[in-house]
Amino acid sequence: MAEETSGVAKLIHEREEESQAQEYLWNCIFGFTETAVVKCAVELGISDYLETHKQQPVSLNQLSTAFGCCASSLYRILRFLTNRGIFKEVSSVGDGGDVLGYVQTPISRLLRRDGENSMAHLLLLQNSPFMLAPWHYLTARLLDKENTSPFNAVHGKDAWEYAKNNSEHNKLINDGMACHARMTTRVIIDNYAEIFKGIESLVDVGGGNGTTLGMLVKAFPWIKGINFDLPHVVSVAPHYDGVVHVEGDMFDSVPNAHAAFFMAVLHDWGDEECIRILKNCIKAISKDTGKVIIVETVLEEKIGNDKSLKDVGFMMDMVMMSHTSNGKERSAKEWAHILSEAGFSRHSIVNIPAIECIILAYP
Ligand SMILES: C[S@@+](CC[C@H](N)C(=O)[O-])C[C@H]1O[C@@H](n2cnc3c(N)ncnc32)[C@H](O)[C@@H]1O
Ligand SMILES: O=c1cc(-c2ccc(O)cc2)oc2c(O)c(O)ccc12
């Protein structure tokens, strides 16, 4: 009898496991629909529109009129998004009785295109045709003796060369990265101001359109900011008080400054390339009191801390495999290797409430 019960329990357990496995794979198979539909909501500007109505529910008719789109298709898009908790459907009392309308949620607020903490442009970057096409060549990269990056396989050049000759892609990258820069820089300013005490001038190497340095200099006005990036990036960068834009190539040299800053740059490159860039940095910064501040993923640091942040690090590592030739996310051991090879005498890692850590390296 006991044996029979344990056999049934085993069978039930196996069925539960199989149904969980199926659920996981259904999500893998159709997971792209969520990204595609969220992208559609961003392109229409649904969050931006709802925001202008504060928490007043907005009806389907109002939305379809505002966007000039087919009400029945928009209804299906909104049904999908409310089902996943991205927007919320509420009823309110109107002239003719109860009316249904849509309001924002904490997720949809992050999808406003101009919000301070918006993630919309990062979503548009990753899901642009330029960035999606290379994923079809991931297996080809593994089988290719030359290890050609999927981005190169599709576009015939690396992402930075491609952006140089394609203003649409250049804007997508700069806006997407600025979106990420705003989120992480806010965390750094609010929690780690002591890192910037005593820094007279700071060069942001691969600083993109200067969003990060603009925020840092505003928060810590004693710093003179030098935003350093490729010519096609700085030539379209907006003005920020206290920041000068300098064009150049970090593989040749880095402008002199008291300290240097890197965010989401070194992960685009292999170890030898990072060592070369970092050696240029050591030459550029103050020998006695200078330091290099690196904001990047340290893979295992988030374990046991926040699983979702750790998962983003592993996903970013796949983005690097698809979009760069030698780039990768690194473990603490891998960071220690490139920093010591570049000539830094010591470094420390600060775990922060973001997907990255702050790595402080001293000459
Ligand atoms: C992933 S983006 C990071 C931008 C910015 N630091 C941020 O966190 O938003 C990498 C940046 O490195 C710049 N970059 C690539 N190659 C470079 C080079 N050889 N010299 C200087 N900057 C370079 C790119 O133009 C781009 O702005
Ligand atoms: O699309 C991206 C996103 C990043 C990124 C996002 C969030 C972070 O905290 C760090 C980096 O980095 C990218 C990157 O370096 C690249 O070469 C292409 C695309 C992206």
Side-chain angles (χ1 to χ4, degrees):
M1 182 68 178
E3 251 175 46
E4 226 173 75
T5 316
S6 83
V8 172
K10 195 168 163 249
L11 199 64
I12 291 173
H13 178 68
E14 279 170 6
R15 291 234 169 104
E16 271 170 10
E17 273 189 337
E18 189 178 332
S19 103
Q20 278 170 11
Q22 283 177 349
E23 184 185 327
Y24 175 83
L25 288 178
W26 280 126
N27 276 318
C28 270
I29 294 163
F30 289 120
F32 70 92
T33 57
E34 181 155 6
T35 314
V37 179
V38 173
K39 183 184 175 195
C40 171
V42 170
E43 286 173 337
L44 288 174
I46 301 179
S47 300
D48 307 86
Y49 190 81
L50 292 185
E51 192 63 20
T52 61
H53 289 70
K54 300 291 167 213
Q55 273 307 88
Q56 283 300 325
V58 180
S59 71
L60 176 66
N61 274 347
Q62 260 176 291
L63 286 169
S64 68
T65 308
F67 304 134
C69 62
C70 163
S72 63
S73 297
L74 183 60
Y75 168 73
R76 289 162 62 197
I77 294 281
L78 286 163
R79 181 176 60 184
F80 181 98
L81 292 167
T82 50
N83 186 46
R84 302 188 91 83
I86 294 166
F87 292 108
K88 198 168 152 198
E89 194 177 29
V90 292
S91 69
S92 62
V93 184
D95 292 343
D98 273 5
V99 269
L100 283 178
Y102 298 93
V103 292
Q104 300 270 58
T105 67
I107 302 176
S108 68
R109 278 194 202 95
L110 298 179
L111 295 174
R112 285 179 292 150
R113 272 180 289 192
D114 55 357
E116 206 202 307
N117 51 359
S118 164
M119 296 173 84
H121 290 282
L122 207 45
L123 184 113
L124 294 177
L125 167 64
Q126 282 304 334
N127 295 287
S128 63
F130 314 97
M131 298 293 260
L132 285 179
W135 288 103
H136 297 291
Y137 294 80
L138 197 56
T139 318
R141 174 182 187 143
L142 299 182
L143 299 174
D144 177 19
K145 296 212 171 29
E146 309 284 315
N147 201 20
T148 309
S149 96
F151 192 96
N152 272 55
V154 173
H155 300 297
K157 42 180 85 97
D158 78 15
W160 316 118
E161 229 2 73
Y162 187 74
K164 182 173 147 188
N165 301 307
N166 184 319
S167 56
E168 191 191 343
H169 187 58
N170 190 26
K171 183 163 165 42
L172 267 175
I173 291 206
N174 296 337
D175 290 352
M177 294 315 299
C179 189
H180 146 256
R182 268 190 293 275
M183 288 161 60
T184 305
T185 309
R186 179 55 42 220
V187 172
I188 296 173
I189 289 172
D190 290 347
N191 300 285
Y192 304 96
E194 73 281 0
I195 289 175
F196 298 89
K197 277 200 192 121
I199 293 183
E200 290 150 25
S201 57
L202 184 66
V203 56
D204 186 357
V205 185
N209 69 7
T211 302
T212 302
L213 213 43
M215 289 174 73
L216 289 175
V217 166
K218 194 168 173 200
F220 312 124
W222 57 87
I223 297 178
K224 277 192 238 143
I226 303 154
N227 183 54
F228 181 61
D229 210 298
L230 295 168
H232 66 271
V233 178
V234 296
S235 65
V236 291
H239 167 81
Y240 294 97
D241 286 340
V243 176
V244 288
H245 293 294
V246 175
E247 63 174 48
D249 184 335
M250 63 194 174
F251 288 101
D252 296 338
S253 65
V254 166
N256 289 341
H258 187 180
F261 185 91
F262 284 92
M263 183 153 79
V265 171
L266 295 172
H267 72 169
D268 288 329
W269 304 98
D271 289 358
E272 293 313 312
E273 290 157 327
C274 286
I275 292 165
R276 200 168 138 199
I277 300 165
L278 288 166
K279 279 185 174 168
N280 284 341
C281 252
I282 294 192
K283 284 188 213 148
I285 62 171
S286 160
K287 301 289 157 287
D288 313 321
T289 55
K291 63 184 165 194
V292 177
I293 304 161
I294 300 168
V295 182
E296 290 268 7
T297 301
V298 180
L299 281 177
E300 77 277 17
E301 283 298 311
K302 306 283 172 191
I303 293 178
N305 211 342
D306 185 328
K307 186 179 173 316
S308 66
L309 292 180
K310 180 187 130 193
D311 279 354
V312 181
F314 289 123
M315 289 191 270
M316 281 297 300
D317 188 44
M318 293 298 104
V319 174
M320 292 304 122
M321 191 181 273
S322 172
H323 291 71
T324 70
S325 296
N326 303 309
K328 57 181 175 181
E329 302 303 329
R330 294 181 164 85
S331 63
K333 203 168 152 203
E334 289 171 307
W335 280 112
H337 168 70
I338 59 170
L339 290 169
S340 81
E341 286 295 307
F344 290 92
S345 62
R346 65 193 167 92
H347 72 274
S348 59
I349 296 178
V350 185
N351 203 343
I352 66 171
I355 68 170
E356 305 93 340
C357 291
I358 301 176
I359 306 168
L360 299 169
Y362 301 88

